[in-house]
Each structure stands twice: as C-alpha cells, then as structure tokens.
Amino acid sequence: DNMNPLQVSEKYCLMDNGSLFEREKHEYSKKVILPDNEFVKKIAWDATHYLCVTDKGNVYSWGHNICGELGTGDKVKRMSPTQVILPNGIKAVDVIVGQNCSFCLTQNGRVYAWGYNTSRQLGVGDTRERLLPTEVILPADLNITQLFSGAAH
C-alpha cells in the first residue's frame, strides 16, 4: 500500500490513508490504533498535548492535562488517545489546539472549546477553565468552516 504523509510532527505522522504512526527511535513505525479502527482525518498539537478528529467524527486527545485540555472531564495525564466527551450526537469535522486548550468544529458549524481560559481565549463568556467541551458563544448568522489558533488564543 503506497501511503504519503499528510501531517508530520516530531512525534507523529499522519498518512493520507488515515493511518497515524508514532515515532520510535528514528522511524514512524508504531501504528496508533483507535477504537473501531477509526481513521484519522487531522491531528493538531502543541508542546504538551495532541488532538485528532476521525472519519467517524470522534475526537481523541492525549498528553498532559494541566487545565483540562484533553476534554475528558478531569486533569489526568493520558499517554494514549482517549475519546473526548462531546455532547450527545455531536460529530466533529476539524480540531485545533492552543496553549493548554483545545477546540473542535462540529458538522453543524458550531465550535466547542475546553481547557485553559484565564484570558477568555475559549470564547465561552468567562475566565474559568473547562474540563469538558463547552460551546463557544458566536453570532447565530456565522458560517464557520475551518478553525485556526495561536499559542494562547
């Protein structure tokens, strides 16, 4: 099977067939297995955590969890992909990360955010960190199609 890299980080490589490989020594040789053999559409990362969205619209996270940036309802560090707890029936199409925070765009154009929020970077109306995805407050007439983020926003 001829595969080409789509996204490459220091630690992971996403191939164009949706396979995700972890780097061991000098090669991306360890395949990351997700539940139900889901395929990864996109991976996002910062210095401390990773986030990916799959072909089934699920979001997985792993790494440090200092401020709830993994979206798992706690602050427990996870070293393998763990499903983010999205509201019932919500499917994601895009993900991004900021410094200790995470975001996803849903199939219906809504944005959810979680993690670090001392400067209101999550856009949820206050400065409290979120351990679970919380809908971002946006004007009703906006049509969001893609997400971008900087380090702290």
Side-chain angles (χ1 to χ4, degrees), residues 43 54 99 131 150:
I43 185 169
T54 70
Q99 181 180 357
L131 303 181

Side-chain angles (χ1 to χ4, degrees), residues 69-132:
E69 60 266 35
L70 297 187
T72 53
D74 57 35
K75 293 184 179 181
V76 176
K77 178 180 180 178
R78 290 180 171 77
M79 298 315 295
S80 60
T82 302
Q83 190 165 357
V84 172
I85 303 167
L86 292 173
N88 216 6
I90 297 290
K91 297 297 179 188
V93 295
D94 195 11
V95 291
I96 58 168
V97 299
Q99 181 180 357
N100 299 326
C101 59
S102 302
F103 301 82
C104 76
L105 174 63
T106 67
Q107 63 189 18
N108 63 355
R110 302 202 190 267
V111 178
Y112 285 80
W114 58 96
Y116 188 62
N117 191 35
T118 59
S119 300
R120 298 180 180 261
Q121 60 266 48
L122 296 184
V124 294
D126 59 42
T127 58
R128 290 183 300 114
E129 64 186 28
R130 295 297 198 280
L131 303 181
L132 292 169

Side-chain angles (χ1 to χ4, degrees), residues 7-81:
Q7 290 180 272
V8 179
S9 77
E10 186 176 310
K11 189 155 173 76
Y12 292 94
C13 180
L14 174 60
M15 305 305 284
D16 59 2
N17 71 348
S19 297
L20 183 63
F21 291 90
E22 184 175 359
R23 186 176 183 168
E24 290 187 321
K25 297 184 182 175
H26 300 291
E27 295 181 348
Y28 295 96
S29 57
K30 181 181 176 186
K31 186 170 183 180
V32 177
I33 306 297
L34 296 175
D36 300 321
N37 292 318
E38 292 181 67
F39 293 103
V40 176
K41 289 175 45 179
K42 180 182 177 183
I43 185 169
W45 63 89
D46 74 352
T48 63
H49 77 291
Y50 289 84
L51 202 64
C52 72
V53 62
T54 70
D55 58 330
K56 294 183 179 177
N58 293 320
V59 176
Y60 291 87
S61 61
W62 63 102
H64 292 277
N65 199 14
I66 299 161
C67 302
E69 60 266 35
L70 297 187
T72 53
D74 57 35
K75 293 184 179 181
V76 176
K77 178 180 180 178
R78 290 180 171 77
M79 298 315 295
S80 60

